[in-house]
Amino acid sequence: MANLQIELFPCREDNFGVLIHDPQTGATASIDAPEEAPIVAALNRAGWELNHILVTHHHFDHVEANAVLKAKYQADITGPASEADKIPGLDTSVREGDRFHFGNYAVEVIETPGHTLGHICYYLPDAGVLFAADTLFALGCGRVFEGTPEQMHHSLQKLAALPDETTVYFGHEYTEANARFAVTIDPDNEALAQRVAEIQKMRAAGIATAPTTIGVEKATNPFLRAADPAVRANLGMQSADDVAVFAEIRSRKDNF
Ligand code: ZN
Ligand code: FE
């Protein structure tokens, strides 16, 4: 199969825009629709015609351009069934375990409640790519706005179970701030220390920190490391359960 093509670009203050394109069929999708102008500019640069918008959750910074892009390109909009009433222009509702096709690529829907109750991620197993939006960030995770820490922990564990080599695109360039926090939770993690140095160089040079991989996040992201003995020892939570450790890390980040 010809390679899936992916374009990443900044939108709004700190959102990422992502376009995917199947060269065999010409199918093009935008992951969420954070902002019209940069998405249109990216389509024009690539010479692609937008057919689909794959929405991850109802927050304004992920759906604001739904209506205008749908009108402009006759794009159809797929999104989470449990947030259907909050997603402008929604055509197709999907849930956990649903499988559909984008061009020649299978797309699997993974429900990841926590940031919002209906948040979904899109996984393309043949391309080895996950679109995690505001569930999993580089060295971070989304704020738990609607769900519980237990739900968010479970959602993140579902993503962590994907193959280590899975490429992960995410919703926001929060990585440098996440890195400053991560080292307070996992101070002796050598892989994290190296990554933080790389991230600081990338951001100083204006380079985006997306994408990442599941393997890199499992090794360095404190929100995926609640079971790690060194993390637990640092928090003084050696005998707590994983959910309690995760909740403690999340609440420290909220107050960081
Ligand atoms: Zn959000
Ligand atoms: Fe967001």
Side-chain angles (χ1 to χ4, degrees):
M1 192 167 354
N3 283 340
L4 183 73
Q5 296 179 308
I6 303 179
E7 288 289 330
L8 175 84
F9 46 93
C11 287
R12 310 178 75 90
E13 287 280 288
D14 50 33
N15 282 73
F16 286 118
V18 180
L19 295 175
I20 61 176
H21 178 77
D22 174 10
Q24 274 182 329
T25 63
T28 302
S30 179
I31 309 302
D32 290 324
E35 188 183 6
E36 178 190 6
I39 294 173
V40 171
L43 287 164
N44 290 341
R45 275 197 305 276
W48 300 341
E49 177 87 3
L50 187 70
N51 315 116
H52 313 283
I53 301 171
L54 304 181
V55 174
T56 59
H57 67 296
H58 68 83
H59 283 161
F60 187 68
D61 61 308
H62 297 256
V63 301
E64 194 196 12
N66 274 16
V68 66
L69 292 175
K70 183 173 181 164
K72 192 174 173 108
Y73 297 101
Q74 285 79 54
D76 63 73
I77 301 180
T78 298
S82 63
E83 296 182 357
D85 56 334
K86 297 178 186 156
I87 311 272
L90 187 69
D91 296 294
T92 306
S93 301
V94 292
R95 332 181 150 269
E96 174 73 21
D98 280 354
R99 238 176 118 90
F100 61 92
H101 273 80
F102 163 75
N104 285 331
Y105 290 86
V107 181
E108 296 178 4
V109 176
I110 304 174
E111 288 184 350
T112 55
H115 178 69
T116 67
L117 284 174
H119 192 296
I120 59 175
C121 298
Y122 295 98
Y123 176 50
L124 280 62
D126 302 323
V129 179
L130 173 75
F131 299 100
D134 289 3
T135 295
L136 176 63
F137 296 131
L139 293 181
C141 73
R143 268 185 193 248
V144 182
F145 284 123
E146 296 180 9
T148 63
E150 182 162 16
Q151 280 176 315
M152 190 65 163
H153 179 256
H154 180 68
S155 294
L156 288 166
Q157 289 303 309
K158 284 164 82 176
L159 302 184
L162 296 173
D164 278 356
E165 59 275 17
T166 304
T167 300
V168 182
Y169 287 83
F170 48 91
H172 292 268
E173 180 62 87
Y174 293 155
T175 311
E176 203 169 10
N178 289 344
R180 282 195 292 274
F181 172 73
V183 295
T184 69
I185 300 299
D186 204 1
D188 300 322
N189 182 335
E190 188 50 41
L192 173 60
Q194 278 181 26
R195 189 171 179 210
V196 170
E198 276 165 36
I199 285 162
Q200 285 167 345
K201 273 188 218 148
M202 288 171 85
R203 294 311 299 145
I207 297 168
T209 59
T212 179
T213 67
I214 291 293
V216 165
E217 294 311 313
K218 279 161 63 182
T220 56
N221 185 329
F223 296 97
L224 297 183
R225 295 174 57 73
D228 184 78
V231 167
R232 290 165 158 268
N234 183 50
L235 295 171
M237 297 182 78
Q238 287 91 333
S239 57
D241 65 31
D242 289 355
V243 171
V245 176
F246 172 80
E248 173 65 20
I249 296 170
R250 188 57 259 177
S251 110
R252 287 188 186 210
K253 176 66 166 68
D254 292 343
N255 298 301
F256 185 64

